[in-house]
Every structure is written in structure tokens, then in C-alpha cells.
Amino acid sequence: KNAITSANAFYHADKIKMVSFNRKSDELLNKLKAKIGEEDFLIEFDKSGTELYEAYSRESDKSIEESLIEINKKIADSRGKDYGIPTGFIKLNEACIGFCERHLWLLGGYTSHGKSTLLSQIIRDICTYGAKALVFSVEDSIQDKLIRLIATITGIPIRLIVRGYGDEDKIKRANSEILSYGLVVYDDIYTLEEMDLKIKKH
């Protein structure tokens, strides 16, 4: 009568998951005790914390049946709505059904052909939709990115904004709009490892 059945399989899976989580918690605490005061302690602590979170939040292997149920539910919930996060461009949405989980898109083009302007518009559309945007800028500063975003929102050329000739009311409204976004910009992170860590944290 103590055999694992389909009815209590999830209960046993959760118990096993918790045991693994507790073990990893102990490992993290032991690391902390040994590392406090050492150089690069905070970086290692940051990574260990993220690994611990991943170990606890990682989903167990799903059956085909469970996956099909999830897919059908998502399709039903999306009926008449957006499947992914809209890009802000109708033709682009038709081509890629919006931004979806685990999808990677690369934007390329010649210098000064509008990549940053397009990206700024996409960031605005994503944020006004209610989603979050995490930006890693390896060339421009945070201030440069925000000035471009203000220009995108107001329609005022950047050269006028930075010289103080822009419409002050429009710029104030743009500032308020940006503050309402789920937007985070980093201009001091350059390696994929650091980016990966920040993405997982957010």
C-alpha cells in the first residue's frame, strides 16, 4: 500500500526535490563559512546563490501527456490574444509570432543604418505591453540608451534633446513613462557569463 502511484507521484517528487534543495543549502552555508573575508567572495556567493535557486526551481522531467496539456492550455489562453510578446511591428509579428520563451533573435546591419533606433522602439513596445526588458549595452552608456529612448517616445531628434531645445513637457512625460517600465540597463557588463548570471537573477 506504500507503493508510489500516479496519485502521489508529485508528492514524492516534491519530497525528493526538497531533500536535494536542503543538501545544496548546506553546501552553500559551508562555502560561506570558508570564504568570508576572502577576495572575490561576493562574486562566488552570487553564483552559488543563483545555482541554489536553479536547483530548487528547475522543473522535473515532464511526460509527453503533461507537455501536450500545457501546450493546449497555452493555445486556448492565447485565442484572440497575442501568443508571444508583440514586437510593435505588425509585419514582424506575423513573421515570428512575437517574442517567445527560449527564442533567440539576432539583429544585424551596417553601421548607422538604424539598429539602435529599431532596438529602442522594440524596447518601448515590449515595456508598454507590460513585459520586462533587460538591456546589456557594451558600447553606449546607460545615459545614451535613455536619451535614445526619450527620442523614440517623444519623436524629438537626439541632437535637439542633448542641446536643450526639446519640448520640456514631452520630455517630462517620456521620463515618467520610462520610470513606469520594467526596464533594467547595464553598461558595465561585458562577458556572456556575467550576462547569464544577471539574466537568471532577473
Side-chain angles (χ1 to χ4, degrees):
K1 66 179 181 180
N2 294 321
I4 296 178
T5 65
S6 58
N8 60 20
F10 285 109
Y11 169 79
H12 286 277
D14 284 339
K15 293 289 283 184
I16 293 170
K17 192 175 182 181
M18 186 53 70
V19 169
S20 175
F21 177 74
N22 288 337
R23 179 177 54 77
K24 287 192 172 288
S25 295
D26 291 337
E27 289 175 2
L28 176 57
L29 288 174
N30 289 331
K31 272 187 181 180
L32 289 176
K33 290 175 183 177
K35 295 286 184 180
I36 288 176
E38 288 188 13
E39 192 176 353
D40 297 329
F41 160 70
L42 288 178
I43 294 175
E44 187 159 343
F45 174 67
D46 213 13
K47 289 181 180 178
S48 297
T50 302
E51 289 170 2
L52 181 62
Y53 171 77
E54 282 185 321
Y56 183 69
S57 62
R58 190 179 295 121
E59 295 181 11
S60 57
D61 294 338
K62 295 178 182 176
S63 67
I64 296 296
E65 183 180 4
E66 289 172 321
S67 297
L68 283 173
I69 289 171
E70 284 188 9
I71 290 169
N72 287 312
K73 183 181 185 307
K74 189 168 185 178
I75 291 172
D77 291 343
S78 298
R79 192 167 289 119
K81 304 176 186 175
D82 300 308
Y83 183 81
I85 298 171
T87 65
F89 298 89
I90 295 174
K91 294 291 185 182
L92 190 54
N93 284 341
E94 290 175 354
C96 70
I97 65 172
F99 295 115
C100 302
E101 288 182 37
R102 303 182 185 282
H103 286 201
L104 175 65
W105 291 89
L106 298 178
L107 175 64
Y110 291 111
T111 301
S112 300
H113 274 62
K115 296 187 300 296
S116 296
T117 301
L118 175 59
L119 179 62
S120 184
Q121 182 63 56
I122 289 174
I123 289 170
R124 185 194 186 193
D125 292 326
I126 287 173
C127 290
T128 53
Y129 180 77
K132 294 181 179 180
L134 181 58
V135 178
F136 297 99
S137 178
V138 296
E139 293 181 353
D140 301 329
S141 67
I142 293 176
Q143 288 79 9
D144 291 333
K145 286 295 181 191
L146 293 178
I147 288 170
R148 187 176 293 278
L149 194 51
I150 290 170
T152 297
I153 295 169
T154 61
I156 303 171
I158 291 175
R159 65 180 183 278
L160 296 182
I161 293 174
V162 297
R163 291 172 181 164
Y165 295 121
D167 185 313
E168 289 187 13
D169 289 335
K170 283 186 176 180
I171 291 173
K172 284 181 181 177
R173 286 196 295 272
N175 276 272
S176 297
E177 182 177 321
I178 292 169
L179 288 172
S180 71
Y181 291 167
L183 174 66
V184 178
V185 182
Y186 290 102
D187 63 0
D188 57 352
I189 292 178
Y190 305 103
T191 69
L192 291 176
E193 183 182 20
E194 290 176 306
M195 291 179 188
D196 186 49
L197 184 62
K198 289 295 184 185
I199 289 168
K200 287 173 180 174
K201 284 176 66 175
H202 285 283

